[in-house]
Amino acid sequence: QRSTGELLNTLRGHSSEVKAVCVTPDGGMIVSGSTDKTVRLWSRSTGELLNTLEGHRFGVKAVCVTPDGETIVSGSDPERLMRFDGLISLWSRSTGDLLTTLTGHPSGIEAVCVTPDGEMVVSGENDTTVCLWRRSTGQLLSILEGHTWGV
């Protein structure tokens, strides 16, 4: 409870640690990403598991929802493996279907967000770059450099 700090629900279902959470714009769902390679959608009011999104080869370190609430964005990171190939996946919130993947990352994904107009996906990577992607085409628009540590 927000006013009292009372625990409302404990969401159980991931088989490994949760690395990222967010709430859908309508406030109805909680989205969680885990090192168990899944994204899970939960009812905020009841805590019920509504859907499990599977398809990442590595742990999920970042989740976000588009402003219209219809698309879940998740990013994975192979952590300390020698071969880095982080992946951003876009999922249908209503069906759980994988819509597309954004590939060509120089490194693993640490953070994702979507611009307020829903047109671009922004990813932070552990190679110190920020990438900008056109959501509709999956095209990498720009790689921003300048950080001294992973983003």
Side-chain angles (χ1 to χ4, degrees), residues 5-27:
E6 175 188 353
L7 176 65
L8 298 177
N9 283 309
T10 299
L11 308 177
R12 298 187 194 283
H14 284 290
S15 62
S16 189
E17 63 187 318
V18 172
K19 290 290 193 174
V21 295
C22 71
V23 177
T24 57
D26 65 7

Side-chain angles (χ1 to χ4, degrees), residues 24-140:
T24 57
D26 65 7
M29 285 187 199
I30 296 171
V31 179
S32 59
S34 168
T35 55
D36 68 6
K37 306 175 191 172
T38 68
V39 174
R40 295 183 188 245
L41 289 78
W42 312 84
S43 167
R44 196 188 101 201
S45 60
T46 67
E48 174 189 1
L49 176 62
L50 302 172
N51 205 346
T52 300
L53 311 178
E54 298 179 290
H56 282 284
R57 294 182 311 181
F58 301 107
V60 176
K61 302 254 318 245
V63 293
C64 182
V65 182
T66 56
D68 64 8
E70 295 303 316
T71 304
I72 308 294
V73 181
S74 58
S76 64
D77 179 11
E79 301 254 344
R80 294 168 191 68
L81 299 177
M82 296 302 290
R83 190 169 135 258
F84 291 100
D85 57 353
L87 183 74
I88 294 177
S89 298
L90 282 71
W91 312 84
S92 167
R93 173 185 167 182
S94 58
T95 66
D97 292 338
L98 179 62
L99 301 172
T100 191
T101 56
L102 307 180
T103 60
H105 297 276
S107 186
I109 307 304
E110 296 288 333
V112 293
C113 70
V114 179
T115 56
D117 63 7
E119 293 299 316
M120 292 197 323
V121 174
V122 181
S123 60
E125 305 186 13
N126 60 20
D127 70 345
T128 73
T129 64
V130 172
C131 292
L132 306 176
W133 307 85
R134 185 170 315 286
R135 186 177 138 214
S136 60
T137 65
Q139 176 188 10
L140 177 61

